[in-house]
Amino acid sequence: MKLSDIGEFGFIDRIKKDTIVNPASVVVGIGDDGAVYKTTEGKEQVAVIDTMIEGRHFIIGKTATWYEAGYKAVASNLSDIAAMGAEPTHLVLSVALTPQMDAAQTDELYRGMKDICRHYGVNILGGDTVVSSEGAVLTVAAFGEIEAGKAVLRSGAVPGDIVAVSNTLGNSGAGLDVLLAGDAGYAAMKKAHAMPVPQVELGRLAVKYGCHSLNDISDGLASESNEIAAASHVDLILDKLQIPLSDELRRWCEVSGKDPYAYALAGGEDYELVLTMAPDDFYLLKEEFSSLTVIGKVQAGSGNVYLKDGHHTQVLAPSGWNHFSGGE
């Protein structure tokens, strides 16, 4: 059955089930001109928005299933919420779909969205659906809450801070190349690209332990570290050999002749967090969240990032994903 067969209202009836997972904060959900929700006293609201375009950000049958596309559209927004130290609460969707799209495919798209929302306790409050002539366009606006005055910004890094990242970097960019090439195996890298894990828990702990600055690694470490340096008016000194890489990434790069650090620095879409904080506070945080690696330090400067590689140090330019670069 095609979307053209069931129409707009039939489509809405089909997808509105199981959209509210935390009803206590919802006054009006899907079904009216607007949603109404309650905010928590003493907390400030965080709002983010992101768009994924079929053929540009995902290719059905090659780099993603419809389920994975829906999951990732939400995950990228929850990662931005996490990068502010906030807890995600609600989202609204604007979805452009072709009339020829099968209703079962839309079921999978929304199943992916609903599953990740259920995992993080996020309500889908509503949105908009329009017709697209050239493929799906998925826009998610997500909202979160954080204690008043506690949002962790890019601009808070200070000299003496350590620089650290969560988990490992580079798997998503390499996973994309593996998927595009149709290579067998490398399941972890493929999953890292198709179904990234937003670091919501770490974002909340960063607030608890007094993190000074925070950024999610959506466009690559080189880009995100430069954003912190520029916003904070400091220099970041990163040690290339300390950047954490997965064994699977190292193995694939040995076979393919690729540079694993190129993926870690500029591959993008890892959705890990890069943070700066005082060393004593960092090691307290690490006792509660062990998957953190120190990769550098913050020093007084004018907004540059330097990459050490043994005895050689060079400026690290903000390379990585750029929406207007014309490339994937």
Side-chain angles (χ1 to χ4, degrees), residues 79-90:
S79 182
D80 283 332
I81 295 287
M84 302 297 291
E87 181 177 4
T89 54
H90 309 289

Side-chain angles (χ1 to χ4, degrees), residues 99-121:
Q100 294 76 32
M101 189 173 175
D102 195 273
Q105 294 174 323
T106 66
D107 289 346
E108 282 297 286
L109 174 69
Y110 277 84
R111 187 170 71 88
M113 293 178 175
K114 291 175 182 179
D115 279 358
I116 187 171
C117 284
R118 186 179 303 110
H119 180 80
Y120 290 100

Side-chain angles (χ1 to χ4, degrees), residues 90-310:
H90 309 289
L91 60 82
V92 293
L93 311 168
S94 177
V95 179
L97 303 172
T98 65
Q100 294 76 32
M101 189 173 175
D102 195 273
Q105 294 174 323
T106 66
D107 289 346
E108 282 297 286
L109 174 69
Y110 277 84
R111 187 170 71 88
M113 293 178 175
K114 291 175 182 179
D115 279 358
I116 187 171
C117 284
R118 186 179 303 110
H119 180 80
Y120 290 100
V122 175
N123 296 313
I124 301 175
L125 296 180
D128 187 32
T129 305
V130 297
V131 173
S132 169
S133 59
E134 297 183 0
V137 181
L138 314 175
T139 298
V140 178
F143 306 91
E145 293 186 333
I146 188 166
E147 297 79 4
K150 294 292 187 179
V152 187
L153 310 181
R154 299 170 181 172
S155 57
V158 297
D161 279 358
I162 57 88
V163 181
V165 296
S166 60
N167 298 300
T168 61
L169 304 185
N171 270 12
S172 178
L176 174 60
D177 281 353
V178 169
L179 287 164
L180 289 172
D183 290 350
Y186 306 106
M189 294 197 309
K190 291 176 180 177
K191 186 174 182 180
H193 179 75
M195 296 182 64
V197 178
Q199 297 300 311
V200 174
E201 177 190 0
L202 176 56
R204 297 298 293 145
L205 290 172
V207 175
K208 176 181 177 181
Y209 288 102
C211 178
H212 291 155
S213 68
L214 196 58
N215 209 356
D216 83 318
I217 306 176
S218 56
D219 298 327
L221 178 62
S223 177
E224 314 301 353
S225 58
N226 268 278
E227 288 179 346
I228 290 176
S232 300
H233 307 291
V234 296
D235 288 348
L236 271 58
I237 315 298
L238 307 183
D239 188 333
K240 175 181 173 179
L241 298 182
Q242 295 304 312
I243 297 172
L245 308 174
S246 71
D247 291 339
E248 187 169 281
L249 175 61
R250 292 182 186 274
R251 288 197 303 271
W252 183 73
C253 285
E254 287 177 2
V255 172
S256 64
K258 304 283 189 178
D259 177 4
Y261 292 101
Y263 286 111
L265 291 169
E269 293 198 309
D270 282 313
Y271 297 109
E272 299 296 340
L273 295 180
V274 54
L275 57 85
T276 79
M277 58 194 305
D280 289 348
D281 293 334
F282 170 77
Y283 289 108
L284 291 174
L285 167 60
K286 190 172 170 64
E287 288 180 4
E288 196 163 349
F289 192 97
S290 60
S291 297
L292 290 167
T293 303
V294 176
I295 63 167
K297 62 183 180 180
V298 178
Q299 66 180 32
S302 55
N304 295 312
V305 179
Y306 297 92
L307 185 67
K308 292 175 57 180
D309 186 0

